[in-house]
Amino acid sequence: MMRRPMQAPPMNGPRFNEWIQSQKVRVIDHEGENLGVMYTREAIAQAKEVGLDLVEVSPNADPPVAKFLDVGKYKYEAQKKANLARKSQKTQEIKEIKMRPNIDDHDYDTKMKKVVQFIEEGDKVKVTMRFRGRELSHGQLGMNVLQRVAEQVAEVAKVEAYPRMEGRQMLMVLAPK
């Protein structure tokens, strides 16, 4: 039975040591000094003398840039950096506020406080105007309320989707400026 001459190349992370495909690489040693362009085999030998691996850090350069590093430590730090970037990323949610066309002033003010709070937190707000029974024939009342909402939050938000009817409800989407 025939065996493969080499192990499969590492699938995740940078190429290192014998998996570097180019003949020549620009080498940077473990202290950060540029050793210049040399053959990959020579660079691997020098890295082994120091007790480190030759890791390709910039494969798209001409010639590719490789450093003397510990591969495991390099992968671990790259993973940590990616996790930190993912953690600090803010996901934008869509919050929904439901109203009726004949909403009272106090109820309207309460809903508006929540709308402003959601927008200041960086979330989008979907304002839903629900119609029941005969209210459906008076769509302009709901439109007036939604226009009032848009005017009131004009300083902190922009209208992303203008009011439109969907069945028995009228929708409008607000996004932070």
Side-chain angles (χ1 to χ4, degrees), residues 9 28 62 65 126 131 136 140 176:
I28 298 171
D62 187 34
V65 180
K126 179 165 93 171
F131 294 97
L136 201 54
Q140 74 278 3

Side-chain angles (χ1 to χ4, degrees), residues 2 25 33 52 66 93 102 122 136:
M2 292 285 295
V25 290
E33 292 182 35
L52 296 171
E93 293 181 37
N102 56 352
L136 201 54

Side-chain angles (χ1 to χ4, degrees), residues 5 32 34 63 97 106 110 123 126 129-130 132 147 152 155 159 162:
N34 189 349
I97 297 289
H106 188 286
T110 305
D123 296 324
K126 179 165 93 171
M129 182 67 55
R130 303 174 97 194
R132 292 196 341 215
Q147 286 174 346
Q152 213 167 4
E155 301 139 19
V159 178
Y162 288 94

Side-chain angles (χ1 to χ4, degrees), residues 7-98:
Q7 289 178 315
M11 294 312 286
N12 55 350
R15 291 189 285 249
F16 61 95
N17 293 342
E18 59 271 358
W19 289 296
I20 297 176
Q21 295 174 343
S22 59
Q23 296 284 319
K24 292 185 176 183
V25 290
R26 181 174 307 279
V27 180
I28 298 171
D29 70 356
H30 60 284
E31 295 167 354
E33 292 182 35
N34 189 349
L35 301 180
V37 178
M38 60 175 68
Y39 286 102
T40 306
R41 289 184 183 176
E42 290 176 29
I44 291 171
Q46 285 185 13
K48 296 270 189 221
E49 287 174 15
V50 183
L52 296 171
D53 301 301
L54 184 69
V55 181
E56 194 174 45
V57 291
S58 180
N60 298 331
D62 187 34
V65 180
K67 281 186 178 181
F68 293 172
L69 297 171
D70 180 15
V71 174
K73 186 176 179 183
Y74 181 75
K75 284 183 182 178
Y76 173 74
E77 288 173 357
Q79 185 179 17
K80 247 177 116 173
K81 193 183 291 183
N83 286 344
L84 185 65
R86 189 170 35 249
K87 190 187 297 182
S88 64
Q89 187 176 40
K90 172 76 171 101
T91 57
Q92 194 175 48
E93 293 181 37
I94 296 182
K95 305 283 187 167
E96 185 174 17
I97 297 289
K98 295 181 180 177

